Amino acid sequence: MEPAIKLMPGVSKWDVRQKVWDYMEENNLANFPRPVHCRIPNFKGAYEVCSKIKNLDSFIRTREVKVDPDKPLEGVRLATLQARKILLVPTPRLRTGLFNKIVPPPGASKEVLRVCSTAQGVKDFSVPVGLDAKVHVDLVVVGSVAVSDKGWRIGKGEGFADLEYAMMVSMGAVDENTVVVTTVHDCQAEIQALLAQKGIGVLNSCSYLAEPTQLNADCTFFLSKSAHSGEIGPGSGEERYGQSPRGPGQITRRRAEQELLDIPEELMDDHDLTVDYILTPTQVIKTDCKRSKPQGIIWSKVDSEMMEKIPILKSLQFRERKAGKDVTLRDERLMEKKELQRLLVVRKPSGKGGNTAKIKTNPIEVTRNSEASEEQMESGCKMQLNAPSRVTAVYMGNIPHSLRVSELKIILRDHNALPLRLNWQGAQHRAFLDYKDEVTAEEAVTSLAGLSISGSMIRVELARSQRGNRSRSQTTEETSKQLLV
């Protein structure tokens, strides 16, 4: 018997998202827009869940609230406006800045405030907030695809919530006391604890169900846990966690605790935003998350393409460079690394005496008795960074027929392998990814090595024409070295 949402060892963020999206679609747990795939799900009951934020001390005390523009957070935006607090909403895809401040017309009625909280209202009643504005956000509300009661969060894969928080850190708009809240359906928080063995099921939960939940006709999954006391089940000792009419009886508390699966911690990176509170239709969960939130923009994860799409990053990069911080971009680091490797001295023995042959490289000349310094190599590297580069293609094969191009883009983004262009050939179960140079393409191949999607092992390699070019280039380079020796 298959459990509702089952995580296996070795899962990726994409696997978690796909299972949650599939389960919500199959069980009709979401409202418009549908399907929920590649979205923050607008789960049924979202508007009612949003009203719970009014009872959080962090909401009551705050003056400025940043709320993501997702449809399921519309009720939070309305609650913020009704409480006469400052509502900040990120600009769409961060194209024109970081925040917009929602400014309702004077004397706005409840109906007008409701309109202001919608996507159209955000467009019609907002003014941009500049980087120099004195903003201090005490409460951040984000949407999620999946969450753990440890506070770990998985979004839809585009990384905007994580980046927005990092940018707020950079501009001093948040600090260690800023509280992060998310709203989800119970099933989005229940992926932590599903187990099926010999007809026995266990439903753990961030939602802490107080009564049995009938998932199908074969088995009732049961877990009772008090969110206040932290005690599991009635009584003490090895209480019964769940049983099946077909099963041998029960799973003990101790055994279940040993076998329950969670969102693996190794999926979480330094740039991932964690949450302090999870609001569901049945519970308000305080996570007591011990993992740090993003400490600022990690420039080594930002590339030139992202800089062009999000112009505000250039302003923040300029500020941090003036402050003496390392703001080298990801593709710049890769290029420098490749050039430094290429410029390293090739020293090999010649004859029985073990003498070292002299090899000249451009722009650095290395003799028998001297070696190029690191400073010289870096200088030579920088001289060639602006040299023209050739677009390099990567082949992806054995792609499942059910995968959509939008979903593939999310997977590539998760693996820091977004290409300049994507040539989608889904009918042939393949795609070609264009990268700006061979260095970036080889890095993408390495990042995607061992990738599995929906049980299919994906074949990832340089496209045939690129492999031929590389082989010819390597042969020429080796011949040149031999001539120099």
Side-chain angles (χ1 to χ4, degrees):
M1 180 191 63
E2 283 297 315
I5 304 175
K6 182 180 179 182
L7 294 186
M8 302 300 292
V11 296
S12 66
K13 285 183 179 179
W14 169 255
D15 294 325
V16 176
R17 294 186 188 104
Q18 192 65 42
K19 288 184 178 293
V20 172
W21 286 330
D22 288 348
Y23 183 75
M24 296 188 76
E25 278 297 320
E26 291 165 3
N27 292 274
N28 194 30
L29 297 177
N31 295 318
F32 175 84
R34 299 280 291 273
V36 298
H37 294 83
C38 303
R39 306 180 192 274
I40 298 296
N42 183 25
F43 60 92
K44 292 184 176 179
Y47 211 83
E48 291 74 16
V49 170
C50 289
S51 65
K52 295 184 178 184
I53 201 163
K54 300 175 185 177
N55 300 321
L56 292 183
D57 288 340
S58 51
F59 178 82
I60 295 171
R61 294 194 305 266
T62 189
R63 287 185 61 253
E64 297 178 89
V65 184
K66 178 256 185 185
V67 185
D68 282 355
D70 305 303
K71 178 65 175 177
L73 297 178
E74 192 173 294
V76 176
R77 296 193 292 273
L78 177 59
T80 303
L81 293 173
Q82 289 176 333
R84 307 299 177 187
K85 300 180 185 293
I86 296 174
L87 173 60
L88 302 173
V89 179
T91 62
R93 310 190 77 81
L94 301 176
R95 290 193 186 99
T96 59
L98 180 53
F99 294 131
N100 279 339
K101 178 181 175 182
I102 311 306
V103 183
S109 63
K110 290 183 178 180
E111 178 59 23
V112 173
L113 291 180
R114 188 195 66 77
V115 172
C116 290
S117 68
T118 64
Q120 187 60 46
V122 169
K123 294 178 182 178
D124 295 341
F125 297 95
S126 64
V127 295
V129 177
L131 288 178
D132 295 322
K134 300 299 181 182
V135 175
H136 189 274
V137 179
D138 301 303
L139 180 64
V140 173
V141 187
V142 296
S144 302
V145 173
V147 286
S148 158
D149 61 354
K150 293 183 176 67
W152 303 340
R153 169 189 175 273
I154 294 179
K156 62 183 177 182
E158 295 186 331
F160 283 111
D162 306 319
L163 181 58
E164 288 159 7
Y165 192 91
M167 292 166 71
M168 287 191 289
V169 172
S170 181
M171 63 185 290
V174 294
D175 56 31
E176 65 276 5
N177 296 316
T178 299
V179 175
V180 179
V181 178
T182 191
T183 67
V184 293
H185 189 274
D186 287 296
C187 76
Q188 294 173 262
E190 288 168 2
I191 61 174
Q192 178 184 356
L194 290 161
L195 175 68
Q197 186 176 33
K198 296 181 180 178
I200 302 172
V202 177
L203 179 58
N204 176 49
S205 166
C206 296
S207 61
Y208 303 141
L209 301 177
E211 297 179 358
T213 299
Q214 188 71 36
L215 296 183
N216 55 46
D218 294 328
C219 178
T220 298
F221 289 80
F222 175 77
L223 169 65
S224 176
K225 177 172 179 177
S226 166
H228 303 289
S229 68
E231 296 178 355
I232 300 178
S236 60
E238 294 191 351
E239 290 294 344
R240 186 173 63 183
Y241 255 68
Q243 64 179 11
S244 165
R246 298 181 181 180
Q250 62 187 29
I251 285 184
T252 64
R253 171 177 179 171
R254 182 178 302 143
R255 177 175 154 204
E257 286 176 345
Q258 291 172 347
E259 298 192 44
L260 294 182
L261 296 177
D262 196 359
I263 297 176
E265 185 172 7
E266 57 265 26
L267 293 184
M268 300 296 106
D269 206 343
D270 291 341
H271 69 273
D272 287 316
L273 181 63
T274 57
V275 299
D276 302 297
Y277 287 91
I278 303 169
L279 309 185
T280 81
T282 62
Q283 290 289 320
V284 175
I285 305 155
K286 189 174 186 296
T287 67
D288 294 319
C289 184
K290 301 298 187 293
R291 190 179 185 91
S292 298
K293 295 181 175 65
Q295 301 299 299
I297 300 171
I298 304 176
W299 293 104
S300 60
K301 293 183 179 293
V302 178
D303 59 23
S304 301
E305 183 182 3
M306 187 182 296
M307 295 289 286
E308 292 300 321
K309 290 182 177 179
I310 307 176
I312 191 176
L313 282 174
K314 295 180 180 179
S315 300
L316 293 172
Q317 185 190 39
F318 176 76
R319 293 183 176 205
E320 296 201 2
R321 182 184 287 114
K322 286 186 64 177
K325 296 183 180 180
D326 183 0
V327 294
T328 307
L329 303 183
R330 176 175 175 268
D331 44 0
E332 293 173 346
R333 288 179 183 272
L334 291 175
M335 181 65 74
E336 289 181 2
K337 179 180 177 182
K338 185 72 174 180
E339 288 298 324
L340 286 171
Q341 290 175 345
R342 194 180 69 81
L343 295 170
L344 284 175
V345 180
V346 180
R347 298 169 62 90
K348 61 182 182 178
S350 176
K352 295 182 180 179
N355 295 326
T356 302
K358 180 172 71 174
I359 298 176
K360 295 182 180 180
T361 61
N362 184 22
I364 303 171
E365 179 177 336
V366 183
T367 66
R368 181 183 293 111
N369 298 318
S370 64
E371 295 183 3
S373 67
E374 184 176 342
E375 290 79 6
Q376 285 176 306
M377 287 187 285
E378 288 181 354
S379 175
C381 168
K382 290 176 181 177
M383 289 172 61
Q384 299 186 37
L385 283 179
N386 295 324
S389 58
R390 183 180 64 227
V391 172
T392 304
V394 170
Y395 168 81
M396 292 188 72
N398 200 33
I399 295 176
H401 67 86
S402 59
L403 189 72
R404 295 181 291 182
V405 64
S406 58
E407 296 169 341
L408 177 58
K409 289 179 180 179
I410 292 175
I411 296 173
L412 295 173
R413 186 178 291 107
D414 277 348
H415 289 79
N416 292 319
L418 272 178
L420 293 173
R421 289 179 296 276
L422 193 158
N423 181 1
W424 175 253
Q425 299 180 12
Q428 289 77 38
H429 308 289
R430 67 189 182 195
F432 291 91
L433 317 176
D434 285 346
Y435 295 92
K436 67 177 186 178
D437 53 40
E438 185 178 345
V439 178
T440 311
E442 289 180 343
E443 185 72 16
V445 171
T446 301
S447 298
L448 297 170
L451 176 65
S452 175
I453 302 176
S454 301
S456 297
M457 185 60 65
I458 306 302
R459 181 181 171 187
V460 183
E461 58 191 31
L462 291 180
R464 289 180 181 177
S465 59
Q466 309 300 332
R467 295 202 302 270
N469 290 337
R470 183 174 62 171
S471 298
R472 287 191 293 272
S473 174
Q474 289 174 342
T475 301
T476 303
E477 184 177 348
E478 290 298 323
T479 303
S480 300
K481 290 178 180 177
Q482 291 171 7
L483 290 173
L484 284 171
V485 173

